[in-house]
C-alpha cells in the first residue's frame, strides 16, 4: 500500500489562492506606459551590448506537462553569440549531462533567458522560440568557453525586455558588505550529501568528487 504524501503549507494556501487573471489584476495598479512600450521583438544596439557584457544567463524552460526548470549558463562576457537582431545562441559547455534544459527545449520549442551583469543592476529578459542545434558551422563560432560545444541552444527572439533593477537593488547582490558570512550557509558538499541520501558517503568523499569535477569543468 502506497503511503500518501504529507500535506504542505502549499496545499493549505492554494485553497483560497487568486483564482484567475482578472482577480490578480484587481490587486495591482495597471502597468505604466513605459513598462509596456519597452517590450520589443528584436534586439537594439544597446541590448546587443548588454548581452555582450553578460557572463551569466539564466535559462527558463518547461516540459510538455508544464514542469518548470531554471538553469544557469556562464562563460566569459560575450559567450552568448548574437547571430542577428532576432537570434542568439548559447553554447552548451561541459555540465552535469542531465540535459534538463535541452530536453525541455526539444519537447516544447520554447525558452526564456535572463541576462545578468555582475556589479550592475540592469538585467535583460529575452523570450521566444527555441531549438537545439549541432550544426558544425554554428558550433565552430561558439568557442568562448573553450572548444566547440556538443550543441547550442538557439533562441528565436519574440520578446526583449530590459527588466526593472529594483530586485537587485533590494537584494544588495553586488554589495559585499551586505553579504552573509560563508559560515551562515551550508557548504556545497553538505547540501549534496544530504540530497544523495547515501549513508556510506562522507563529506570528504563528496568534496573530492566536487574538486575532481571542477578540474575539468571548462573543457
Amino acid at each position: 500500500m502506497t503511503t500518501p504524501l504529507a500535506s504542505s503549507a502549499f496545499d493549505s494556501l492554494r485553497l483560497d489562492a487568486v483564482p484567475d487573471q482578472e482577480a490578480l489584476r484587481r490587486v495591482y495598479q495597471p502597468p505604466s506606459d513605459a513598462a509596456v512600450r519597452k517590450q520589443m521583438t528584436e534586439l537594439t544596439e544597446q541590448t546587443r551590448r548588454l548581452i555582450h557584457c553578460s557572463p551569466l544567463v539564466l535559462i527558463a524552460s518547461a516540459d510538455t506537462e508544464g514542469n518548470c526548470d531554471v538553469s544557469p549558463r556562464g562563460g566569459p562576457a560575450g559567450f552568448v553569440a548574437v547571430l542577428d537582431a532576432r537570434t542568439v545562441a548559447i553554447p552548451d559547455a561541459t555540465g552535469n549531462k542531465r540535459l534538463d534544459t535541452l530536453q525541455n527545449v526539444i519537447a516544447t520549442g520554447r525558452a526564456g533567458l535572463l541576462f545578468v551583469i555582475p556589479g550592475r543592476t540592469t538585467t535583460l529578459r529575452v523570450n521566444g522560440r527555441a531549438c537545439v542545434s549541432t550544426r558544425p558551422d554554428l558550433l565552430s563560432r561558439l568557442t568562448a568557453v573553450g572548444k566547440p560545444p556538443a550543441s547550442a541552444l538557439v533562441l528565436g527572439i519574440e520578446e526583449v525586455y530590459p527588466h526593472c533593477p529594483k530586485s537587485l537593488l533590494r537584494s544588495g547582490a553586488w554589495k559585499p558588505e551586505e553579504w552573509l558570512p560563508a559560515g551562515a550557509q551550508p557548504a556545497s558538499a553538505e547540501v549534496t550529501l544530504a540530497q544523495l541520501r547515501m549513508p556510506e558517503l562522507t563529506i570528504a568523499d563528496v568534496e573530492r568528487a566536487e574538486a575532481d569535477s571542477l578540474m575539468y569543468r571548462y573543457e
Side-chain angles (χ1 to χ4, degrees):
M1 181 175 178
T2 303
T3 302
L5 294 175
S7 61
S8 66
F10 176 82
D11 297 306
S12 172
L13 290 168
R14 73 180 300 187
L15 296 176
D16 60 351
V18 179
D20 53 45
Q21 295 183 21
E22 290 183 1
L24 175 65
R25 183 46 67 187
R26 288 195 293 270
V27 179
Y28 293 89
Q29 295 293 322
S32 67
D33 289 341
V36 175
R37 285 181 57 84
K38 68 179 182 178
Q39 178 178 315
M40 296 183 63
T41 58
E42 62 182 32
L43 298 172
T44 63
E45 176 188 352
Q46 290 75 19
T47 50
R48 284 176 181 247
R49 289 170 58 192
L50 284 178
I51 292 173
H52 184 71
C53 290
S54 174
L56 176 65
V57 59
L58 308 180
I59 306 174
S61 63
D63 65 19
T64 54
E65 297 180 354
N67 298 303
C68 298
D69 181 73
V70 177
S71 179
R73 295 290 189 277
F79 80 103
V80 175
V82 176
L83 304 183
D84 60 39
R86 299 192 67 180
T87 315
V88 296
I90 304 171
D92 191 59
T94 302
N96 57 24
K97 300 181 178 65
R98 283 176 53 105
L99 308 182
D100 295 322
T101 299
L102 300 184
Q103 291 179 139
N104 286 348
V105 165
I106 289 173
T108 65
R110 309 289 301 178
L113 311 178
L114 179 67
F115 290 93
V116 179
I117 302 172
R120 300 291 181 266
T121 56
T122 299
T123 55
L124 184 70
R125 287 163 45 184
V126 181
N127 304 315
R129 299 170 298 154
C131 66
V132 178
S133 176
T134 57
R135 188 180 294 181
D137 61 333
L138 171 64
L139 301 184
S140 66
R141 298 172 56 183
L142 304 177
T143 58
V145 293
K147 62 185 180 182
S151 71
L153 189 158
V154 182
L155 190 111
I157 295 170
E158 294 177 343
E159 298 176 343
V160 180
Y161 188 83
H163 197 71
C164 171
K166 290 180 181 177
S167 59
L168 287 180
L169 289 170
R170 290 172 180 145
S171 72
W174 311 128
K175 297 180 179 180
E177 66 275 14
E178 296 185 16
W179 295 351
L180 294 174
Q185 64 179 15
S188 173
E190 291 180 82
V191 176
T192 299
L193 184 63
Q195 295 291 113
L196 289 175
R197 303 182 301 280
M198 298 172 65
E200 70 275 16
L201 288 180
T202 67
I203 285 285
D205 294 330
V206 178
E207 288 174 340
R208 281 194 297 270
E210 289 184 345
D212 291 344
S213 175
L214 290 173
M215 285 177 63
Y216 306 104
R217 184 59 66 199
Y218 301 106
E219 292 188 357

